[in-house]
């Protein structure tokens, strides 16, 4: 987390207000991976703010019947820039995401949205190999969820 707050691996770091590493229970068996912090999240420096954050929280709490604090949520990129994050930005933060998965050791990993799915399963050979290994060795489940912005 500390290394992320001092990270300057990509251009997103130049215009960020805050870094958003992760939120929730670090012992959770459920991990949600979103694409990037929203403008509201960057402005306030916390997860689950703004319309999309509220929608995702309601989806978690309504569907899973657990509080959003009981799952672990992170993003592909930990900063918000002035433009939408690119796949190159996702690549820059990939080492942080892999470390988070190693630390949390979730049993269920949920990709939130098409961009997350596309990056993790189509464009990141390293992550796909890692995920295949992880799911097999940790006996985990991989799933996908439509992003709340799409539903708004």
């Amino acid at each position: 987390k500390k290394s992320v707050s001092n990270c300057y691996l990509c251009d997103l770091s130049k215009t960020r207000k805050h870094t958003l590493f992760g939120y929730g229970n670090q012992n959770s068996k459920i991990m949600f991976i979103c694409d990037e912090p929203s403008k509201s999240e960057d402005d306030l420096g916390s997860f689950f703010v703004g319309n999309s954050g509220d929608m995702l929280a309601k989806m978690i709490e309504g569907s899973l019947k657990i509080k959003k604090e009981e799952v672990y949520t992170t993003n592909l990129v930990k900063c918000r820039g002035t433009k939408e994050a690119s796949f190159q930005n996702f690549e820059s933060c990939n080492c942080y995401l892999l470390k988070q998965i190693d630390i949390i050791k979730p049993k269920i990993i949920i990709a939130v949205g098409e961009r997350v799915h596309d990056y993790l399963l189509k464009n990141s050979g390293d992550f796909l190999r890692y995920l295949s290994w992880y799911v097999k060795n940790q006996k985990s489940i991989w799933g996908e969820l439509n992003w709340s912005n799409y539903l708004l």
Side-chain angles (χ1 to χ4, degrees), residues 16-132:
R16 71 178 178 225
K17 293 180 182 170
H18 296 92
T19 56
L20 284 100
F21 185 73
Y23 174 86
N25 181 354
Q26 292 187 7
N27 295 310
S28 179
K29 299 300 176 201
I30 304 171
M31 176 183 271
F32 284 82
I33 302 173
C34 303
D35 58 355
E36 64 184 313
S38 69
K39 182 177 181 338
S40 300
E41 289 171 334
D42 185 43
D43 287 343
L44 298 173
S46 63
F47 281 78
F48 294 106
V49 295
N51 289 337
S52 60
D54 289 342
M55 174 75 77
L56 184 57
K58 287 176 184 173
M59 290 170 75
I60 291 169
E61 293 176 353
S63 300
L64 300 176
K65 305 297 183 208
I66 58 176
K67 294 182 182 191
K68 66 182 190 250
E69 294 83 7
E70 294 179 40
V71 301
Y72 189 81
T73 305
T74 191
N75 294 308
L76 293 176
V77 294
K78 313 308 181 195
C79 304
R80 179 170 181 89
T82 54
K83 295 186 229 171
E84 186 176 80
S86 67
F87 281 17
Q88 290 79 19
N89 298 133
F90 296 159
E91 279 295 310
S92 296
C93 274
N94 194 43
C95 58
Y96 299 128
L97 178 62
L98 296 179
K99 188 66 174 169
Q100 285 176 295
I101 293 170
D102 279 340
I103 291 168
I104 304 300
K105 297 186 183 348
K107 293 294 182 191
I108 300 171
I109 300 172
I110 311 272
V112 181
E114 184 178 359
R115 293 181 73 213
V116 179
H117 171 267
D118 286 352
Y119 171 73
L120 295 179
L121 296 183
K122 294 181 182 175
N123 297 312
S124 179
D126 288 343
F127 185 85
L128 186 55
R129 282 188 293 281
Y130 175 82
L131 180 64
S132 296

